[in-house]
Structure formats: C-alpha cells, structure tokens
C-alpha cells in the first residue's frame, strides 16, 4: 500500500510539472509576441521573469529577495509599467538555480503571483539611455530640512476658512489654498486688482530668500498655491497660464514624493520623480511649452534607494536597472509664482494666451428663461437676418407648390396675412387676394416694399393687426426659430387671433425626419463632387437648394429657408467660433439645458435644437443691388455676365453666421396646435423635409 501511494504521488507531481511547463512556454510566446523578447532553451547567465514586473505590482525589493536566494544578482532590470523583469546572475550556475524558481509564488497584497522564468541571451542595461529633462527644468533635492518641512506643513491650517487672508477650495482630486492672490479655476487666471490681505505666510520668507541667494530666482514671488494630494489623487496635465504669471515657477514637495509627467506638444514625455523636500524650478521651455501633471494612482514607479547610500535619490526613471514601486502618501506642494503685470511676449506663441487672438464666444445654451430666449433669438436669428438679408433674398424666388395651392384656393377678395413674409415671394402668388406681410427683419421688409408688396416690420408674437380680420394666415419657416415651446405656441395663438371664425392658417416648420416613408428629402439627396467646387457646380447646387426653401424669414425671428443653407453645400457646417461639431442625441426641452450643437449642412439631424451655418456671399445688406439687379436668379444669374476671378482676385473666405432652429419631430407640431383653444386641425402632412398643418378657427375661444 505504501509503494502504491508513492507511485500515485509521483504521477501527480509529474502532472504539475507538465502544467508548469505549458504555462512557462505560453509566457515565452507572449513575451515574444508583445515585447519582442526571445527566450532560449540552453542555459545562460540571464533570465526573463514573466509576471515579476512593476506592471503587475511586484516591487523590486520583493523580487530581488527571491532571486538572491540562489545566487548573486549582477543586474536586475524592471521596466516601468511592464509585467516582467530581466535578471543577470554573476555565474551561469546561479542562473540555473534561478531557472529552477519557475513556478515560485509571491504574495502581492491579497493576491498570489506566480513567476515563470526562461533563459535569454543577454540583459543590456544600457539599452535605456539617460533621458534629458525638459529644457529649463531644474530639480534640487533636499532643498529644505526636515525641521523646515515640519514648520511649513504646520503653517498650512486646513481647518481655518479665513477668506479675508486666504482662499481655500476643495477640488475633485485635491484641496487647495491660495495666498497673495486667488487663482481662479473658472478662467485659469488671477484677479490682479484684488490681492488677498496678508500676502504670503511669513514662514515661507526664509525659503524664498534662499531661492534668491542660490540664484534660482531673481524676484520674490507674490502668489502661493498650496495643493494637498491624498494617496491616489493627481492633477490633469496643464501649462500655467502665460498671461497670469511671470516666467519662473518654484514648487516645493513636502510630506511625500510623487512622479510628475512632463509632455512636449510633439509627444515626447519625461517622468520626473519629485522627492520629498525637493524644489522644482520651471522656466523657459519647460514652463511655457511642456504640460505637467500628476497621474492619479496609489503606486509610483521610482528609482530604488541604494542601501549603501540611503540619501542618494535620483529623479531619472530611464535607468530601468534601478526601479521599484513606491506607495504614495499625503503630499503637499507649495507653488510660488510672480503675478504678471504686462502681456506675455515669450518665444512660444502657439501656447501663449497673450499672443493668441481673443477667444471666440462659446456656443450658447438652451434658454432657461424668457430673458434667455429673447437674448438667444436676438443674437442668432434677428441679427443674422439683418446681416444676410440681401444674400438670403437672392436665393428665395421659387414658391413651394403646396403653399401656392393653399393660396390659390382662397376666395377673391380674401385678406391674407403672411407672418414672416421674408422677401415677399408669397405675397404675389394670388393677385385676387388682399395680401399683407410682416417680418422681424427691417432689411427684408425693405425688399418687399421695393417689389411693390405691402409689408411692415413686426414681431410674430405681437402682430399689430385687429383680431378676427384675416381670412387666411401663413407662417412658412417661422415657428422653428422660437427657442422655447411656450414661445412657439404663442405664435400659433397669435395667428389664430388674427383669423376670423372659419379662417384658415397654414404652418410649415423644419422636420427632424429628413427621410420619411423611405424617401430622402432634397436637402439630404443633394450631394457634392469631391474637391473644391467650381463656380458652375456651386451655382447649380444653390439653384437646387432654392426648390427646398420655403418663404423667407421668421416674422418673430426673421423667416428663412428650410434647407438650412442656401449657399455652397460643399462648405460643410462650420463651427461657431471654431469648436468641433457636437453630435448630441435628439432631445426634448424637458431635459437639462445644454450647449447648442452646430449642424453640418446636408446631413441628418442629431439634435432638435441647433445652430445652422449660413455662408454669406455678395456682401450682405450692402450688396442688395448687386444681388438682385433685376435678375430673379440673383447671384446665380450673374455668372453669365461676370468673368471668374483670377487667383490674384480670389475673394476672401465668406463670413459664416449661425441661425438658431428647433426642428420638429413627427407629431410635435400637431401637439403644439391642439393646445391652442378655438382651432381645429384640418390636415397635417410631410412636405420635403417639413412638417405642415392647416388649421381652421372654430370661433370657440
């Protein structure tokens, strides 16, 4: 029985060895595939230790203790963030004993790590050369004594909230205090006219005087930011604002060490260990061009301390033969800066806010109040149409057939009000009716008058006509310019007020659904050739776009076309102030307010509330005569009489304006109308990317 038991045990041990061998071979294949490390079968003095790297939580000290059990280690290379290590023993015999450690398990916290060792030909510790620090960066180790460190830390009272002397904030990843001047994170600058009383803490003066004496700085700083980082906290990569502070920045690291990452705009990066009680000096390129930040994590890869020289600490992480893991503690940094009084004129204009053009305004938010709505519509509807009126009118001369059918059905002598008449293209469709138009744009109303139409300037929310006097009203491409549901409904109520009992109103609004019943609207179907458009191709597409565009303007918000852009469709939507187009999901107003996205012309809608670009041609209001000139086709007709511009005469890029729209979902227009008392929906339909309704006033108000 005893011999049988021994045989079973031998078989079990053999299976474990086979399993271990399979995992060792698999680890070798993984190293070759992902790291380019080739293992060999014959014994050498060097080994690769899979699973024994800094990247999977094995410290240098822990691995070295295991490897030195079998012999003297000559080189141990642990690349940062890699799950393996490379070791060279002093003798091949020791390496063979090290190879026998295959399958050795290490306790890493509450987890167990199994080591898999294989031979490699050599381990060249010189493969990783010394990495230079960013130009202008200096690190002074042991700049303050432990006693000075304690005094400085004690001087920072985190329990005090005396806003008269300092400003204290708790940020997402750290807490901060400001002395001398408050650094404002909303604009990344300081209010230079509002110094904080008391200046810098007195305990800092001897340290700063030493900085001057040691020629780290020539001027005394007047602003101090204190950051306290708990283990695992950090700060995003950033460049201190050029216009806020002078060249030199001094930063003391107290309480614990950390690793700060510096990155050049071209991609080069350098990780620098900031030892406890060290002084970091940033000036020149390192201050103005390189970003610096601290990655949030609980462990850092740092150089191991030499037991023969415990005080010798290096910040160079390029020497992979001397790296280990360091658990972060609570670190407090004192960053001293000098507030700048004049614009920055550094040699790095690409990163300098003083040498950049003024930042363009950010996209507006959806309105939260009546005041916000008025302001939004004034800026992104009313003002825009005053600027583009003549160019806009030159592209609006083809009435829509179904609108014409509605107008032609009116009895002779009927009174028609076109609320949002634009350039008046619908006012003359039926000469047997008495037609009057109104529009919010005085420039478009002037065009109506020049054409012999009756029109006046008015807001669609308050039309100065008597109630119950009109047989018909039309509102073509108007209501979608109102920025709240309440205001859109108010326009419908105003139309109904104007109607006599039995009178009818026709309303068109732009639809979210530009593809309906498996048919794409002409707005989506219009395509462009690749490459810059010729003048002929541009004009052809402008001509096509006219068939899409309804009446001109928003009576409340100066009406305009439903196509979203009557100019060159090749000019894809440009962002308001150069920001990237924001593709947000279609949302309703009940959601929390958000920034408006800028629509890309000739594409499906990704948001109901958006800004639509208009590429101005022909000089706006000042180019009216040139744009019309008795030619119904406006600038399209002019191509037969004007020579194409030469390269030297090429016009400057067209200005781009942005118009606010609320595009309607299916059923939304009907839902809006049924809220209005005394009106019935006679018909609703989809017409070339627009939702349309015909209302009849019942007289029941």
């Amino acid at each position: 029985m005893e011999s049988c038991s021994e045989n079973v045990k031998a078989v079990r041990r053999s299976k474990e060895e086979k399993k271990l061998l399979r995992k060792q071979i698999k680890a070798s294949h993984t190293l070759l595939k992902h790291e380019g490390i080739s293992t060999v079968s014959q014994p050498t003095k060097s080994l690769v230790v899979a699973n024994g790297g800094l990247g999977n939580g094995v410290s240098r000290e822990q691995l070295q203790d295991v490897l030195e059990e079998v012999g003297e280690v000559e080189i141990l290379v642990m690349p940062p963030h890699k799950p393996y290590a490379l070791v060279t023993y002093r003798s091949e015999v020791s390496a063979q004993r090290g190879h026998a450690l295959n399958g050795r398990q290490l306790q890493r916290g509450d987890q167990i790590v199994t080591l898999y060792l294989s031979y490699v030909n050599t381990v060249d510790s010189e493969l990783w050369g010394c990495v230079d620090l960013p130009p202008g960066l200096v690190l002074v180790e042991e700049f303050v004594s432990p006693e000075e460190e304690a005094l400085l830390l004690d001087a920072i009272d985190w329990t005090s909230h005396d806003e008269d002397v300092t400003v204290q904030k708790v940020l997402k990843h750290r807490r901060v205090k400001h002395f001398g001047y408050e650094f404002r994170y909303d604009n990344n600058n300081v209010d230079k006219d509002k110094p904080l009383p008391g200046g810098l803490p007195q305990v800092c003066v001897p340290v700063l005087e030493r900085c001057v004496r040691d020629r780290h700085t020539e001027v005394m700083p007047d602003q101090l930011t204190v950051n306290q980082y708990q283990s695992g906290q950090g700060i995003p990569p950033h460049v201190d604002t050029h216009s806020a502070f002078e060249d030199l920045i001094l930063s003391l690291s107290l309480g614990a060490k950390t690793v700060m990452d510096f990155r050049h705009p071209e991609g080069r990066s350098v990780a620098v260990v900031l030892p406890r009680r060290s002084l970091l000096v940033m000036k020149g390129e390192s201050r103005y061009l390189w970003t610096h930040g601290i990655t949030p994590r609980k462990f850092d890869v740092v150089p191991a301390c030499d037991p023969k020289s415990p005080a010798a600490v290096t910040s160079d992480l390029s020497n992979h033969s001397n790296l280990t893991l360091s658990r972060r503690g609570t670190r407090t940094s004192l960053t001293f800066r000098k507030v700048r009084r004049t614009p920055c004129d550094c040699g790095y204009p690409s990163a300098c806010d003083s040498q950049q053009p003024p930042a363009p305004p950010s996209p507006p938010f959806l309105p939260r109040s009546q005041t916000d709505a008025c302001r939004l519509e004034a800026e992104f509807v009313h003002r825009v149409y005053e600027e583009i009126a003549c160019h806009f009118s030159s592209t609006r001369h083809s009435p829509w057939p179904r609108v014409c059918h509605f107008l032609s059905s009116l009895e002779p002598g009927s009174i028609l009000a076109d609320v949002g008449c634009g350039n008046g293209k619908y006012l003359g469709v039926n000469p047997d009716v008495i037609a009057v138009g109104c529009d919010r744009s005085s420039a478009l109303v002037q065009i109506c008058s020049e054409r012999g139409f009756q029109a006046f300037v008015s807001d669609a929310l308050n039309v100065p006509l008597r109630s119950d006097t009109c047989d018909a009203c039309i509102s073509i491409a108007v209501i979608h310019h109102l920025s709240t549901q309440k205001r859109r409904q108010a326009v419908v109520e105003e139309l109904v007020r104007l109607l006599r009992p039995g009178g009818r109103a026709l309303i068109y609004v732009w639809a979210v659904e530009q593809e309906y019943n498996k048919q794409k609207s002409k707005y989506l179907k219009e395509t462009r050739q690749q490459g810059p458009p010729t003048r002929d191709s541009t004009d052809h597409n402008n001509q096509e776009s006219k068939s899409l565009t309804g009446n001109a303007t928003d009576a409340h918000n100066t009406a305009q076309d439903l196509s979203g852009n009557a100019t060159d469709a090749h000019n894809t939507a440009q962002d308001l102030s150069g920001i990237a187009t924001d593709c947000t999901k279609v949302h309703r107003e009940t959601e929390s307010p958000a920034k408006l996205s800028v629509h890309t012309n000739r594409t499906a809608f990704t948001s109901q509330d958006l800004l639509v670009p208009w590429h101005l041609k022909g000089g706006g209001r000042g180019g009216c005569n040139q744009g019309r000139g008795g030619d119904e086709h406006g600038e399209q007709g002019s191509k037969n009489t004007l020579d194409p511009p030469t390269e030297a005469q090429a016009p400057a890029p067209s200005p781009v304006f942005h118009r606010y729209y609320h595009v309607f979902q299916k059923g939304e227009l009907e839902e809006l109308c049924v809220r209005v008392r005394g009106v019935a929906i006679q018909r609703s339909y989809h017409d070339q990317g627009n939702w349309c309704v015909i209302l009849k006033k019942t007289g029941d108000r």
Side-chain angles (χ1 to χ4, degrees):
M1 288 294 294
E2 185 177 347
S3 105
C4 180
S5 174
E6 288 179 355
N7 289 337
V8 171
K9 187 174 182 180
V11 171
R12 182 180 297 118
R13 188 166 53 248
S14 177
K15 287 182 179 180
E16 290 174 351
E17 290 174 353
K18 289 180 179 180
K19 181 179 179 180
L20 185 60
L21 180 61
R22 286 196 301 270
K23 290 190 175 183
Q24 182 189 37
I25 294 172
K26 182 179 179 181
S28 296
H29 290 165
T30 301
L31 288 168
L32 179 61
K33 179 179 179 181
H34 296 288
E35 301 294 335
I37 297 176
S38 299
T39 59
V40 295
S41 56
Q42 69 276 12
T44 67
K45 293 171 59 178
S46 301
L47 300 160
V48 58
V49 186
N51 274 8
L54 300 173
N56 56 337
V58 176
S59 71
R60 182 181 192 84
E61 293 77 11
Q62 191 176 19
L63 180 62
Q64 194 156 1
D65 287 345
V66 172
L67 297 175
E68 289 183 343
E69 289 178 4
V70 296
E72 186 177 354
V73 172
E74 191 173 69
I75 300 172
L76 176 58
V77 175
M78 300 185 75
H81 315 300
K82 298 293 185 179
Y84 63 86
L86 297 161
V87 58
T88 297
Y89 282 94
R90 191 163 294 279
S91 68
E92 188 173 301
V93 173
S94 296
Q96 290 176 350
R97 296 189 189 121
H99 187 270
L101 294 172
N102 188 51
R104 178 71 173 267
Q105 293 183 332
L106 298 179
Q107 190 74 33
R108 191 199 64 183
D110 56 353
Q111 296 181 340
I112 294 178
V113 175
T114 303
L115 306 180
Y116 300 102
L117 293 91
S118 301
Y119 291 112
V120 293
N121 282 325
T122 58
V123 175
D124 188 355
S125 60
E126 301 300 322
L127 285 177
W128 300 278
C130 181
V131 177
D132 294 331
L133 296 180
L137 190 70
V138 176
L139 182 69
V140 184
E141 300 179 15
E142 298 291 335
F143 186 75
V144 295
S145 66
E147 294 75 19
E148 288 176 308
E149 177 187 43
L151 288 173
L152 290 166
L153 290 174
D154 289 343
I156 310 301
D157 184 5
W158 294 103
T159 63
S160 172
H161 295 276
D162 186 359
E163 297 293 334
D164 292 336
V165 176
T166 181
V167 173
Q168 181 170 323
K169 295 180 181 295
V170 177
L171 303 181
K172 183 178 180 180
H173 298 295
R174 65 195 190 280
R175 58 179 180 174
V176 300
K177 269 182 176 288
H178 300 295
F179 296 86
Y181 292 84
E182 178 189 2
F183 183 82
R184 295 181 52 183
Y185 296 98
D186 56 347
N187 60 8
N188 289 327
N189 216 311
V190 293
D191 192 338
K192 301 173 185 178
D193 298 324
K194 293 183 179 179
L196 297 171
L200 274 55
Q202 192 63 31
V203 70
C204 298
V205 173
V207 176
L208 295 176
E209 289 177 344
R210 190 184 314 150
C211 290
V212 174
R213 188 168 58 251
D214 293 349
R215 297 185 178 180
H216 297 306
T217 180
E218 295 179 356
V219 297
M220 290 290 284
D222 55 7
Q223 196 275 338
L224 167 63
T225 297
V226 182
N227 288 279
Q228 186 184 77
Y229 303 88
Q230 301 295 328
S231 177
Q233 294 182 330
I235 185 171
H238 66 282
V239 176
D240 284 35
T241 310
H242 291 204
S243 63
F245 305 109
E246 295 286 352
D247 183 3
L248 195 74
I249 296 176
L250 305 169
S251 184
L252 270 175
S253 293
L254 307 177
K257 63 183 172 184
T258 193
V259 173
M260 181 170 283
D261 299 305
F262 287 80
R263 181 174 292 274
H264 190 275
E266 295 180 355
R268 179 189 168 208
S269 61
V270 178
V272 180
V273 178
L274 305 182
R276 183 175 178 177
R277 298 190 298 279
S278 65
L279 174 70
L280 185 69
V281 182
M282 285 190 289
K283 59 183 177 181
E285 184 177 314
S286 66
R287 179 265 189 269
Y288 285 128
L289 191 60
W290 292 61
T291 64
H292 60 278
I294 299 173
T295 304
R297 57 186 174 225
K298 292 185 178 296
F299 286 88
D300 281 319
V301 176
V302 300
C305 293
D306 185 351
K308 299 177 182 178
S309 179
V313 181
T314 175
S315 63
D316 184 11
L317 294 180
S318 63
N319 183 4
H320 294 182
S321 64
N322 189 39
L323 298 182
T324 188
L325 294 177
S326 171
R327 178 184 287 274
R328 283 189 185 173
T330 299
R331 173 179 172 268
T332 301
S333 69
L334 277 63
T335 301
F336 299 95
R337 296 170 285 208
K338 178 71 173 178
V339 171
R340 184 184 292 277
R341 300 294 175 179
T342 58
C344 178
D345 59 353
C346 67
Y348 310 95
S350 63
C352 182
D353 60 313
S354 291
Q355 301 180 58
Q356 295 294 318
S362 61
F365 287 87
L366 281 174
R368 298 171 179 262
S369 65
Q370 176 84 354
T371 301
D372 290 345
C374 292
R375 186 180 298 115
L376 173 68
E377 293 160 16
E379 177 69 16
F380 293 97
V381 183
H382 304 162
R383 185 185 68 83
V384 172
Y385 279 100
E386 287 299 312
E387 295 286 345
I388 70 172
C390 292
H391 179 216
F392 177 85
S393 177
S394 71
T395 65
R396 298 304 186 274
H397 48 75
S398 300
W400 287 354
R402 298 183 77 165
V403 178
C404 291
H405 182 270
F406 174 85
L407 296 174
S408 298
S409 69
L410 300 177
E411 295 289 334
S414 296
I415 297 175
L416 167 68
D418 185 347
V419 180
C421 63
N423 65 357
K425 72 176 180 178
Y426 289 113
L427 293 177
V429 168
N430 187 347
D432 296 328
V433 303
I434 301 169
V436 62
C438 64
D439 200 283
R440 183 61 170 75
S441 168
S442 59
L444 287 167
V445 169
Q446 178 64 29
I447 293 173
C448 291
S449 299
E450 292 172 2
R451 289 180 167 183
F453 299 131
Q454 298 294 321
F456 56 89
V457 177
S458 173
D459 193 301
L461 290 166
N462 187 18
V463 180
L465 294 175
R466 291 181 181 178
S467 302
D468 305 321
T469 57
C470 297
D471 297 289
C473 293
I474 60 174
S475 172
I476 310 301
V478 176
I479 295 178
H480 52 216
H481 287 303
L482 281 295
S483 56
T484 67
Q485 185 184 73
K486 184 177 180 180
R487 292 168 69 80
R488 292 189 284 270
Q489 182 177 329
V491 174
V492 178
E493 292 172 347
E494 186 69 356
L495 294 174
V496 175
R497 181 188 68 80
L498 297 178
L499 292 174
R500 64 168 178 78
R504 295 182 300 157
L506 174 64
I507 300 173
Y508 267 59
V509 294
W510 211 358
V512 170
E513 298 84 358
Q514 291 296 303
E515 183 172 356
Y516 187 69
N517 286 342
K518 299 182 180 180
Q519 288 188 347
K520 291 183 178 181
S521 69
K522 292 180 181 179
Y523 175 71
L524 291 184
K525 286 194 293 185
E526 182 175 345
T527 57
R528 297 294 299 165
Q529 63 190 34
Q530 296 296 321
T534 64
R535 184 174 178 84
D536 288 344
S537 66
T538 299
D539 289 340
H540 171 72
N541 280 283
N542 279 335
Q543 184 65 36
E544 281 192 4
S545 72
K546 292 181 205 137
S547 66
L548 307 180
T549 61
N551 198 4
T553 81
D554 165 10
H556 166 63
N557 298 277
T558 66
Q560 69 173 43
D561 80 327
L562 300 176
S563 73
N565 189 1
T567 64
D568 180 4
H570 179 73
N571 292 327
T572 55
Q574 294 184 20
D575 174 341
L576 173 71
S577 68
I579 61 166
T581 301
D582 177 21
C583 294
T584 56
K585 65 178 181 178
V586 173
H587 62 278
R588 290 189 177 273
E589 289 180 349
T590 53
E591 297 181 6
S592 58
K595 283 187 177 180
L596 294 172
S597 61
V598 178
H599 176 59
T600 300
N601 288 324
R602 309 298 176 190
T603 64
F605 294 114
T606 57
S607 175
Q608 277 192 267
D609 294 276
L610 40 82
L611 299 175
V612 176
W614 178 279
H615 299 258
L616 182 64
K617 296 181 181 180
R621 297 181 66 177
C624 285
N625 293 331
Q626 177 185 351
R628 294 196 307 277
D631 185 346
E632 181 188 11
H633 294 280
E635 65 176 6
Q636 281 70 36
S638 68
K639 70 176 181 176
N640 296 321
T641 58
L642 296 178
D643 294 329
T646 64
E647 183 176 352
Q649 298 170 331
S654 301
V656 181
F657 295 89
H658 293 80
R659 302 159 294 162
Y660 167 79
Y661 279 89
H662 172 85
V663 287
F664 281 65
Q665 291 181 334
K666 181 179 181 180
E668 187 178 350
L669 180 58
E670 294 94 322
E671 182 182 339
L672 186 72
C673 292
V674 297
R675 292 196 180 100
V676 179
R677 294 178 56 189
V679 69
I681 298 176
Q682 280 195 321
R683 187 181 179 192
S684 62
Y685 56 95
H686 187 273
D687 182 15
Q688 277 302 322
N690 307 290
W691 289 115
C692 323
V693 296
I694 298 177
L695 306 177
K696 183 176 181 180
K697 186 171 181 177
T698 63
D700 181 15
R701 301 287 289 173

